[in-house]
Amino acid sequence: MRSTFFITCLVALIFQLFNNPCIAQQSDEKVDTAYINSKIDIVKSLIDVREFNAAIKLAKEARKLANRIDYTDGVAWSEYYIGVSYFEITPVDSAFSWLQKAKSHFLFSGNIEGLVFLYNQLGLCYRRTNYNDSAAYYYRGAIEKATTINDSVNIAQGLYGLGMVYVQQSKYSEALNLFQDALAIRQRLGDKYGIAAVYNSIGLLFWEQGVYSTSLEMFYKALPLRVELNDKKGEAYQHNNIGLVYRDLGYYDKALEHLRKSWQLKREVNDTRGISNTVMNIGSVFLLQDKIDSALLYFENALELKQLVKDRAGIAHINLYLGQSYCKLKLFDKAELYIKEAIENYKELNEPRGVADAQFHYALLLKRTDRTSKAINLLLKIKDDAEKLGVLNIASKSYKVLYDIYSEKNDCNNALKYYQNYIALRDSINSSDAMRKIYATQLQSEYDKIVKQHLEQFNKQLQAVEEQKQARTYLLVIVSVAFVALLGLFIGLIYTMKQRRMAVEDKERQRISVENQQKELMEQRDEIERQRNLVIYQRDRIINMLTDLGESMEYARKIQQAIFPSDKQLSELFRDFFVLYLPKETVGGDFYWVGNISGKIGFAIADCTGHGVPGGFMSMMGMSMLNDITANLKGAMPGTVLGMLRENIINALRQKGHEDDSHDGMDIALCAIDRESRNLTYAGANMSIIISTNSDVEENERIIKISDGLLEFRPDRMPIAYHEKMDKFNEISITIQPNDTVYLFSDGYADQFGGQKPTKKFGYHAFRKLIADVKDKPLYEQKKIFYQTLERWKGEEESQTDDILIIGIKPF
């Protein structure tokens, strides 16, 4: 512990020196590859002591310097370590981005050594995020390239990683061969860290197959190596895995002891991914103990962490555990939902063992819900699949459930057949009974050893006491006689003095106690008075602040409403219309606009980034820019207007495509109607429109027929902001017939959560169907139906998710 602290302090000191302004000035005068390499070495040291944020900062500085002198390898290694650091602190997408940049630079410079390290790291990243095919590709690439430069360490690392991929895919024999090859290399190199890692992986391989004795043996081989190396992260993983074995054997207290030790160590090293696994495993122990409330609490916490690190396999495990939990609570519908989700998760991950395990629990659910025939068919499939995979514990449990089913049906022949299969398979693996005997023997051996040590120590002490006893006997007699004589002389005097002293002490204690009580009462009175005055002051201040804030927000709402087109203005431009505007807060980020576009009637709705005050600012800026553009840009059409609006937004927000830039902007649908030709022209940025018309319009990739008389015009997939795609906005035109209706809408209605538990979004499919149902009704009635449908969907418990804006217009 002291050595780790010293190293951390030393590295931090070096990091401070390298970031000192004086030294930075000196470095700017003369920057060479040696200087950059020294910075990269410090980055590696920071990563070793898990100071990832400091490592990222220094690596970015090294990359900047390497770019300045065109030092490609320096750029590549800096990007590599930035990716490694980001992967440890959970921004997985950032990690992959930086590692891919490093790959391009290593390939450009032809640095085989760098590519070997990079491929092994990419294999780890893809394996931890459960993209097994990609992980296997990079591990094989690392092995191949490491072989060309005779890099034994990275060959072993690649073999180990590829073996872990095969374990996830239930290819146990292939995985064991790779682990044995990796172990031979690690042992030849004397690499205790690598040896411990391989022992742990072999233990996991046998644990997944239910061979608990061999699994526990491997974990206990790895644990002392982890402790010797002061590898807290590795030690945490060993305690976690040992806990899983004890859990499966039914020793729940022992399992929780190891899992909590693992949790403590992972928190010390800030291992978010590892913490999520251990929290999930603790929940699984409570599940087996039928402590369902505690189990669900741990599963919910673990799920939040799994989603943060994008651990798809972990999410699949938790879905299965949740299904088992709700099954025990007899909430069978909810249990079936989670178990089916887990089955699909495992299929997507190509993890056949997980599929078999999830299907087994689904079969148990079918049995409990009296769907016996389906349960039997599924169990027959599961036991065949499990035997092919070598997952004998799942096959054994399947035979046992088949026996139970046929016993309940009084089908003695089938019951006997499956019971015999169950017994035969159970005896072929290390059963839980055998392990309990092993564990009991271990405990008895440890107990006997402790008793023997204490007995030997006691005998030695007893012998020493006997030797001293005789020597002390004579002295004790003399001392006893003298003591009795003196005791008679002093007993009276001592008693008298004691009584007097006790009386004086009692009076003094009473006096001091009264004084202390008076002092405490006065202090309490003063403190209560001070606290009361402080509470009154804070209450009055909060009331004033809330009053000012409420008045400011209400005034902002009035300003925003004043800028919006009035009903009178809309009625002068269109034959009929309705506007359903429901901001999430007092002011909103959705807005609607009408104006003159080159002599045509222009109208639009937009959804700005955010809602509330930020969204309100963006909406007011958007309406102001539209007014300026349409007033100054003659002969423009909607596509041109959107292009100019995008350019103005980018300039106003100073967006240049950098990582730290603001990503604010808006989505918008803009239309222009020519009254003489009745031609409507539409352009959209991530926002479509729907038209109810009797015209016969030919469909294409931008014009989609929703139902009879209902068309959807699809937008360009670009926002009004800086974006990787900055093409020209396309336009769609259609001739509007009398009584046709144009619907413009933001995404707030479709994204609103509600419905029966568990809640879900209203969705665009339901939204389009709602429009189809009401399109023939008067517009004022349509608005009423839209509002009532939304309120019913939300119910009393759900709050509004986002700003909501729907406009319906009959131009002619």
Side-chain angles (χ1 to χ4, degrees):
M1 177 67 82
R2 288 183 178 178
S3 62
T4 303
F5 177 77
F6 175 77
I7 292 171
T8 305
C9 293
L10 179 60
V11 171
L13 178 60
I14 296 172
F15 182 73
Q16 292 281 347
L17 290 174
F18 270 92
N19 283 274
N20 186 282
C22 298
I23 295 179
Q25 183 178 359
Q26 181 181 356
S27 301
D28 289 339
E29 295 174 357
K30 184 180 179 181
V31 175
D32 56 14
T33 58
Y35 177 73
I36 294 171
N37 289 337
S38 67
K39 276 185 172 286
I40 294 174
D41 289 338
I42 297 173
V43 171
K44 291 191 287 187
S45 301
L46 288 169
I47 292 175
D48 289 340
V49 295
R50 302 186 68 79
E51 293 290 340
F52 299 116
N53 289 317
I56 290 171
K57 181 178 179 182
L58 188 58
K60 287 184 176 180
E61 292 180 7
R63 178 176 180 263
K64 183 178 180 180
L65 295 174
N67 270 319
R68 185 189 305 171
I69 63 172
D70 293 329
Y71 178 29
T72 306
D73 277 346
V75 174
W77 282 111
S78 299
E79 291 170 341
Y80 167 77
Y81 287 118
I82 292 172
V84 171
S85 300
Y86 271 127
F87 187 74
E88 291 292 339
I89 58 178
T90 71
V92 179
D93 295 335
S94 297
F96 279 113
S97 174
W98 283 103
L99 291 173
Q100 290 297 335
K101 290 178 182 178
K103 177 183 174 184
S104 299
H105 285 106
F106 279 134
L107 289 171
F108 179 77
S109 65
N111 189 332
I112 303 299
E113 179 186 4
L115 284 172
V116 169
F117 277 91
L118 179 72
Y119 280 14
N120 269 328
Q121 182 63 36
L122 281 170
L124 174 65
C125 293
Y126 280 114
R127 174 166 65 83
R128 290 283 179 82
T129 51
N130 304 106
Y131 292 99
N132 290 322
D133 292 339
S134 297
Y137 168 79
Y138 279 108
Y139 279 131
R140 293 190 185 103
I143 296 168
E144 178 183 351
K145 292 184 181 299
T147 303
T148 62
I149 60 174
N150 197 26
D151 183 354
S152 299
V153 173
N154 275 300
I155 292 173
Q157 186 66 23
L159 291 170
Y160 166 80
L162 187 58
M164 289 299 294
V165 173
Y166 284 158
V167 170
Q168 291 179 351
Q169 295 177 333
S170 302
K171 299 177 181 178
Y172 299 118
S173 59
E174 295 94 327
L176 186 58
N177 291 333
L178 291 172
F179 288 151
Q180 289 171 341
D181 292 342
L183 182 61
I185 296 174
R186 297 293 190 187
Q187 289 173 335
R188 186 176 74 248
L189 297 173
D191 180 7
K192 293 183 179 180
Y193 184 91
I195 292 170
V198 177
Y199 279 153
N200 177 65
S201 299
I202 295 174
L204 287 172
L205 183 149
F206 283 106
W207 170 73
E208 286 206 1
Q209 298 177 86
V211 186
Y212 298 123
S213 57
T214 306
S215 174
L216 200 59
E217 178 186 354
M218 291 295 106
F219 294 150
Y220 274 121
K221 278 187 176 182
L223 182 58
L225 293 175
R226 305 284 198 189
V227 175
E228 179 185 347
L229 296 168
N230 195 27
D231 178 12
K232 287 191 175 183
K233 184 176 180 180
E235 184 182 351
Y237 278 79
Q238 297 311 140
H239 282 292
N240 179 83
N241 296 338
I242 292 170
L244 291 178
V245 175
Y246 282 123
R247 178 199 67 183
D248 292 349
L249 293 172
Y251 296 103
Y252 300 131
D253 291 340
K254 195 76 174 175
L256 289 173
E257 176 186 340
H258 283 281
L259 289 172
R260 285 172 176 148
K261 177 66 174 175
S262 172
W263 190 6
Q264 177 185 352
L265 290 168
K266 288 174 180 177
R267 291 173 64 185
E268 290 179 12
V269 298
N270 195 25
D271 180 9
T272 304
R273 189 181 306 275
I275 290 171
S276 69
N277 287 332
T278 301
V279 171
M280 175 183 70
N281 294 333
I282 292 174
S284 70
V285 175
F286 285 127
L287 174 62
L288 291 170
Q289 293 178 304
D290 291 330
K291 299 176 181 178
I292 308 301
D293 291 341
S294 298
L296 288 174
L297 179 62
Y298 277 93
F299 291 149
E300 289 172 1
N301 291 336
L303 181 60
E304 183 177 347
L305 294 174
K306 293 291 185 187
Q307 291 170 339
L308 177 65
V309 299
K310 297 186 178 180
D311 183 356
R312 298 189 301 153
I315 293 171
H317 298 334
I318 293 174
N319 282 332
L320 181 56
Y321 284 137
L322 289 171
Q324 296 176 50
S325 302
Y326 288 120
C327 189
K328 288 192 174 187
L329 292 173
K330 296 184 179 180
L331 300 173
F332 297 121
D333 291 340
K334 203 165 186 177
E336 185 169 351
L337 181 67
Y338 278 107
I339 294 176
K340 285 183 176 179
E341 182 70 18
I343 293 172
E344 293 303 317
N345 293 153
Y346 286 123
K347 288 180 178 179
E348 292 174 2
L349 295 169
N350 191 23
E351 290 193 14
R353 184 190 184 280
V355 173
D357 193 18
Q359 288 178 336
F360 173 75
H361 286 285
Y362 184 52
L364 292 178
L365 177 63
L366 293 173
K367 176 178 177 293
R368 292 195 63 182
T369 53
D370 298 324
R371 290 176 280 179
T372 309
S373 298
K374 290 185 178 180
I376 291 172
N377 293 333
L378 184 56
L379 286 166
L380 292 173
K381 178 182 180 302
I382 293 168
K383 61 95 176 173
D384 291 337
D385 294 342
E387 288 177 345
K388 291 176 183 177
L389 293 170
V391 190
L392 302 183
N393 58 334
I394 294 179
S396 175
K397 292 189 293 186
S398 300
Y399 279 124
K400 178 64 169 59
V401 177
L402 285 168
Y403 159 71
D404 292 337
I405 291 174
Y406 281 112
S407 296
E408 293 171 1
K409 295 166 69 73
N410 293 322
D411 187 342
C412 298
N413 292 331
N414 280 320
L416 178 61
K417 179 180 72 172
Y418 289 117
Y419 185 74
Q420 290 172 338
N421 289 334
Y422 163 65
I423 294 299
L425 193 58
R426 185 194 65 183
D427 293 343
S428 68
I429 61 176
N430 290 329
S431 67
S432 58
D433 289 338
M435 282 305 298
R436 287 191 178 93
K437 292 179 181 178
I438 293 171
Y439 181 56
T441 302
Q442 292 175 348
L443 290 178
Q444 186 63 41
S445 176
E446 292 176 2
Y447 175 76
D448 292 343
K449 183 178 179 180
I450 293 171
V451 171
K452 182 178 179 182
Q453 290 175 349
H454 281 280
L455 184 61
E456 291 175 354
Q457 185 177 2
F458 177 75
N459 288 334
K460 289 180 181 179
Q461 293 174 348
L462 184 62
Q463 184 177 359
V465 170
E466 288 294 334
E467 291 175 353
Q468 295 175 4
K469 185 176 180 181
Q470 292 180 355
R472 292 178 179 176
T473 301
Y474 299 108
L475 180 61
L476 181 61
V477 172
I478 296 172
V479 171
S480 298
V481 173
F483 176 76
V484 171
L486 292 172
L487 182 62
L489 295 174
F490 289 104
I491 190 169
L493 179 61
I494 292 172
Y495 178 78
T496 302
M497 293 176 64
K498 183 178 179 181
Q499 292 296 322
R500 181 178 295 177
R501 185 175 65 253
M502 290 176 61
V504 172
E505 289 176 352
D506 284 343
K507 290 181 180 180
E508 184 65 18
R509 280 196 298 269
Q510 290 173 2
R511 184 185 66 79
I512 293 172
S513 176
V514 170
E515 290 179 354
N516 289 338
Q517 289 176 1
Q518 290 176 344
K519 185 177 179 180
E520 289 177 1
L521 288 172
M522 293 176 67
E523 290 176 350
Q524 290 174 2
R525 181 198 64 190
D526 294 342
E527 178 64 20
I528 291 171
E529 182 68 19
R530 189 181 69 82
Q531 293 290 340
R532 184 182 69 83
N533 293 336
L534 179 61
V535 168
I536 292 173
Y537 168 75
Q538 291 177 340
R539 180 202 63 191
D540 294 341
R541 187 177 179 185
I542 290 171
I543 290 172
N544 291 334
M545 290 173 63
L546 291 175
T547 302
D548 292 342
L549 180 60
E551 291 175 352
S552 297
M553 291 297 292
E554 180 62 23
Y555 190 62
R557 184 190 68 80
K558 291 179 179 179
I559 292 174
Q560 188 181 46
Q561 290 293 328
I563 295 176
F564 285 170
S566 65
D567 289 350
K568 179 180 179 182
Q569 187 178 359
L570 293 173
S571 63
E572 290 174 353
L573 296 174
F574 308 113
R575 182 168 70 84
D576 196 4
F577 71 93
F578 77 82
V579 177
L580 178 61
Y581 178 58
L582 303 171
K584 182 176 184 290
E585 300 176 12
T586 305
V587 293
D590 289 3
F591 71 86
Y592 56 99
W593 171 90
V594 296
N596 188 315
I597 300 179
S598 302
K600 303 177 179 63
I601 300 173
F603 58 95
I605 74 165
D607 183 356
C608 300
T609 304
H611 44 74
V613 173
F617 275 116
M618 284 295 297
S619 69
M620 294 176 73
M621 183 171 66
M623 285 188 286
S624 175
M625 287 182 178
L626 279 173
N627 289 329
D628 289 344
I629 292 169
T630 54
N632 298 320
L633 193 62
K634 305 301 181 182
M637 292 299 286
T640 309
V641 173
L642 292 190
M644 287 295 297
L645 179 61
R646 175 173 62 191
E647 184 177 340
N648 288 352
I649 288 291
I650 291 172
N651 292 334
L653 299 181
R654 299 178 183 176
Q655 297 175 343
K656 297 181 180 179
H658 297 157
E659 292 181 6
D660 298 332
D661 281 354
S662 164
H663 297 288
D664 296 327
M666 64 184 72
D667 298 336
I668 186 170
L670 176 62
C671 300
I673 294 180
D674 188 334
R675 281 195 175 278
E676 295 181 1
S677 63
R678 294 190 302 184
N679 184 67
L680 180 143
T681 303
Y682 154 79
N686 286 337
M687 186 174 286
S688 60
I689 66 171
I690 293 176
I691 298 178
S692 172
T693 180
N694 294 321
S695 299
D696 187 11
V697 180
E698 183 178 352
E699 292 188 67
N700 55 43
E701 62 180 7
R702 297 288 302 278
I703 301 177
I704 308 300
K705 183 177 181 181
I706 300 174
S707 64
D708 291 339
L710 209 60
L711 302 174
E712 180 174 355
F713 286 8
R714 295 290 173 85
D716 290 302
R717 292 302 175 187
M718 302 179 291
I720 302 299
Y722 188 90
H723 191 253
E724 61 183 9
K725 180 182 178 184
M726 301 277 283
D727 296 339
K728 176 183 176 182
F729 287 98
N730 296 300
E731 297 174 347
I732 305 174
S733 296
I734 184 176
T735 300
I736 297 296
Q737 302 298 327
N739 210 37
D740 286 357
T741 306
V742 182
Y743 296 94
L744 296 88
F745 48 87
S746 65
D747 59 2
Y749 200 102
D751 287 346
Q752 177 62 47
F753 281 91
Q756 297 180 351
K757 298 293 184 179
T759 60
K760 60 181 180 179
K761 291 183 179 180
F762 189 81
Y764 279 101
H765 178 75
F767 181 67
R768 294 185 184 100
K769 185 177 183 303
L770 180 58
I771 292 177
D773 292 340
V774 304
K775 64 184 178 66
D776 296 326
K777 299 180 182 295
L779 291 187
Y780 72 88
E781 188 174 344
Q782 292 186 30
K783 177 180 179 180
K784 180 179 178 181
I785 293 172
F786 278 120
Y787 179 78
Q788 291 175 343
T789 303
L790 177 68
E791 290 300 310
R792 285 196 301 271
W793 177 255
K794 285 196 307 181
E796 296 180 356
E797 297 182 2
E798 286 295 329
S799 59
Q800 187 169 325
T801 307
D802 196 2
D803 298 329
I804 294 173
L805 175 59
I806 304 174
I807 296 179
I809 294 173
K810 287 185 182 291
F812 306 107

